[in-house]
Amino acid sequence: MSAEQNLTRDLDQIEGRAGTMLQGVESRAAFMAAGFRALPLLAAVPAAFVVAQLMRWAGGGEPVLLPLPFVLLLSLLAPGIPAARAAATARARRVSRSRALAEADRQLELADRLVTADEFLRHGARTGFQQAAVEDAARRSEAAAGAALEAPEAAIAGSRRLPAWGALSLVLLALSAWVSTFEPRPVGGGGVTEAAAAEAGEPLDEEAAEDAVTAEDRAAPAPPEAVPTERRAQDPAEAKRSESGEDVDDSVKESSGRTGAGRSSGALSSSAASESRSAPSTQGQSSKPAERDKKKRESKKKKERKAGDQPTPERRPEDEQSGATAGKGSSKGSNRNPTASEWQSKDQVTEVDDQEVEDDEDTDEDEEEQENRGGVQPSLRDRRPPVSRDLQIGFGNRPNPDANGRGGPSEQKKSRGVASLVLGVPVPDRVKGRPGPGPTKITQERIEPQAEEAGALAASARAARSRPVPALSSVELGPQLRELVRAYFLARRAAAPPASAPQ
Amino acid sequence: MTDSNADAARADAQRFRETYESIRAEVSRRMVGQTDVIEGVLTALLAGGHVLLEGVPGLGKTMLVSSLGEALKLSFSRIQFTPDMMPADVRGTSVLVESEGGGHELQFEQGPIVANLVLADEINRATPKTQSALLEAMQERQLTIGRRTIKLEEPFCVMATQNPVEQEGTYPLPEAQLDRFLFKLVVGYPEEGDYREILRRTTGEQEVELSSVSNAETINAMRSTVRQVPVPEHAEDYAIRLVMGTQPGSAYAPELVNRYVSLGSSPRGAQALLLGAKVKALLAGRFAVATEDIAAVARPVLRHRVLLGFEGLSEGVTTDQVVDEVLAKLPVPEEAAG
């Protein structure tokens, strides 16, 4: 068997081992990555379970749906399913030969010898260096085929979130366990009132609180099997009361049976009172003493209302208009304060909401018109009227404010023709100067030259200086001039007799 | 494909390593330390490129190049670049000379660039006009002056030096000029242990005389050997992606490049990477280029081909950091292929 065949066999073997190893690594990495991505499911399952428990409990049922260990198992399985799927997909993917050999090169520190030799082996005609590279790899491939390969560690993002999601999941499981301990609660009108009050964020008024307490007192000693009977007994009474409309306002009729959806806090505060007024009647058939107390309280309240509502004829419509009874309108009545309605007339009230609705309608109409015209048209609202064609003089650059742009007869014209072009504001001439001198005239004359006599000066020796000479600025000579001066002095020294040495 | 070809290749590679080692040892007799710089200069010379040496004064940049000239027995010329230097001072010009018959004629006097090893000392002190006089010589290895074209003798290598400080009165090299340098080597301060040897050699009575251990023919043969080293596909891919990684907006550019780099490397960068990697592969005793050879020369090849943007300069990012980031974020081709 030749060296190249041995090399090919070794490369195949290395590729098989490295490929299997890389498949395992990729499968693990995919499992972990998908698992970390699906971490929210770890908390989603217990969260959904808690919500289901609460809904069932609110419906009056037993809050225990499933055993807690089963929920825990479901929570762990939820992120595991996509992780297992990703791992299976990664394992099914084949690792390329070059990648497997490159991994072996990297781990065995062969500097790409294996992957290079594998590539050169596929070449039909090899150069000297390529053949040398193949032979070089063949010398090392046998050792490489027997060497152990370690699975590289893949960095997986998202592992930091595991404690957070795990803790959240545990908290939800604990919450679920706590919810499981809840007693089944009765469902009735009092419950609706409580829910409405809780949603409004305001405490129940005294009557409602008392009613709730009474209802609980009544419900507590009653045997469990009595509860559905009581509920059945309440329902016809409530239906009867709603049909007769006895002692219940229209608005209350509309809002009964709803839990305050679509109301603002102000509306809820008032609707809570109105519902509380209707509540005793719904519960009054269960016990006689309670009914008597309620009727007493109700009659007392009616008296107070009559005393306080003497000007009832005007007040009643205002209450309706102010939305104090709530539940009537969704948003329009919500921010109307009944106390403010005493001085507000219908003409004065122009709600912002109303204005916005009108604006929206206008805009829609405009858009429709524009579409009918064949496209978006420029806004013509701010278009200014055409300028006046009156022959009236404005104020400086400003247009005449009396001009209405319609033309036609206006005030009597005070000027005509040329006079109308005269500037209304006199502008002084700001250019100052003097008239120019005019064209320059040059005259030439012929003059005979005249001789001038220069006075001859006799040369004289310069007198000795009486004071020391100050520092004189030395003139920097150019290189050529310096050479000339140097040559001159050298020539003079050469011509002069040698000076006697100083003693 | 014969065994004799493989044997010849092995012999060439062996000869290459021996000659390289002898040149390096000879230069190291005068240059103390600076091993990386010496190897970088030799690598660039044998890869057929030019070198830009950057370092503060007094680190032996000029001495390194002149020592190399002595050790290689090549024609060596030094050009001291000054602000008043003209292109004709570098390339040469026609001068009026008196002929034998008493007449005058124009005679071309070639400039100092016509040599094997040219030391362009403080190249950034010359004006861009003069700097650009080197462009044709460095790339085309010829000079065109008027109607005259001079083919420069191989090996031809320009080794330029520049000072990173004292930028006043200097002219930074234009990108076209920088791109023509195969390597940009940063000369740092010597190690503490090297100082004693430097002082002993430079302040004593005896001067180190270098002997020539190679010549132009040998250098040309070594260059030919370098060119024969094959480059596998994965190494080519790696070099291409490395160069593309320096180009902002490319598929391989990391965030640092996209944010701070305004101009990436040109295809000349990929050529330089492979040529430098071939020398490294031969010196490592291999017969083909590996990705680690390319990574080894990435810094000197790419650091002067990457142009930082304003934000990068203001943030104090260096081109070496950019190259390191590209190397760190760039997957090896096999890993990327999966």
Side-chain angles (χ1 to χ4, degrees), chain A residues 141-211:
Chain A
S141 65
E142 194 172 352
L149 297 175
E150 292 180 1
E153 290 186 6
I156 299 161
S159 58
R160 291 179 187 172
R161 294 178 294 164
L162 178 60
W165 286 110
L168 182 60
S169 177
L170 288 177
V171 168
L172 288 168
L173 284 171
L175 183 65
S176 170
W178 181 59
V179 170
S180 299
T181 61
F182 284 11
E183 292 291 330
R185 64 193 291 269
V187 179
V192 174
T193 313
E194 277 180 11
E199 197 165 336
E202 291 180 12
L204 293 170
D205 58 5
E206 290 180 6
E207 288 181 9
E210 283 175 15
D211 293 344

Side-chain angles (χ1 to χ4, degrees), chain B residues 27-248:
Chain B
V27 173
S28 296
R29 285 181 58 217
R30 185 176 284 171
M31 280 292 292
V32 181
Q34 308 286 7
T35 314
D36 292 344
V37 179
I38 295 172
E39 289 178 358
V41 168
L42 277 176
T43 303
L45 174 69
L46 298 174
H50 311 283
V51 188
L52 178 62
L53 293 162
E54 186 177 276
V56 295
L59 296 181
K61 300 185 291 292
T62 308
M63 192 174 72
L64 167 64
V65 180
S66 59
S67 303
L68 199 61
E70 286 182 48
L72 295 179
K73 200 179 178 183
L74 298 173
S75 62
F76 173 76
S77 67
R78 171 178 176 159
I79 309 170
Q80 185 68 42
F81 280 77
T82 54
D84 60 347
M85 182 172 272
M86 298 301 286
D89 299 331
V90 177
R91 297 188 300 190
T93 186
S94 296
V95 294
L96 196 64
V97 295
E98 194 170 349
S99 60
E100 290 181 356
H104 292 82
E105 63 180 9
L106 281 171
Q107 186 177 336
F108 179 74
E109 286 287 331
Q110 61 189 21
I113 191 122
V114 185
N116 289 126
L117 205 57
V118 178
L119 170 60
D121 213 4
E122 301 202 65
I123 190 173
N124 57 338
R125 296 213 173 270
T127 60
K129 184 168 71 175
T130 308
Q131 289 171 3
S132 61
L134 294 171
L135 288 178
E136 187 190 4
M138 290 173 71
Q139 183 63 32
E140 310 291 335
R141 313 214 173 225
Q142 67 178 25
L143 287 174
T144 304
I145 304 153
R147 293 177 183 175
R148 187 189 306 268
T149 297
I150 302 171
K151 286 280 181 189
L152 295 174
E153 193 179 349
E154 290 289 346
F156 172 70
C157 180
V158 174
M159 297 191 177
T161 69
Q162 69 175 8
N163 189 349
V165 295
E166 297 176 5
Q167 293 294 313
E168 193 175 355
T170 63
Y171 302 90
L173 293 175
E175 276 66 45
Q177 181 81 41
L178 282 172
D179 205 24
R180 281 165 168 77
F181 286 104
L182 190 86
F183 283 0
K184 177 184 177 183
L185 301 170
V186 177
V187 185
Y189 286 108
E191 302 289 331
E192 184 181 356
D194 295 335
Y195 272 94
R196 192 184 300 277
E197 187 63 21
I198 290 171
L199 294 175
R200 192 182 62 77
R201 288 189 195 177
T202 54
T203 59
E205 204 171 66
Q206 289 184 338
E207 285 190 4
V208 178
E209 293 290 333
L210 297 183
S211 56
S212 58
V213 293
S214 184
N215 53 26
E217 289 76 26
T218 309
I219 298 295
N220 286 335
M222 290 172 82
R223 284 184 170 186
S224 173
T225 303
V226 168
R227 295 269 171 177
Q228 292 176 41
V229 175
V231 183
E233 280 179 19
H234 69 277
E236 269 180 359
D237 290 344
Y238 188 67
I240 291 167
R241 291 174 189 185
L242 193 54
V243 166
M244 288 179 71
T246 64
Q247 299 164 355

Side-chain angles (χ1 to χ4, degrees), chain A residues 4 29 41 59 62 80 83 115 126 148 179 183 196 200 203 214 219 238 243 289 366-367 415 439 462 477-478 494 499:
Chain A
E4 286 185 16
L41 291 177
E62 191 74 23
V115 68
R126 280 173 236 142
V179 170
E183 292 291 330
T214 312
E238 192 173 337
E243 280 175 12
D366 289 348
E367 286 176 355
S415 61
R462 193 166 61 181
L477 296 175

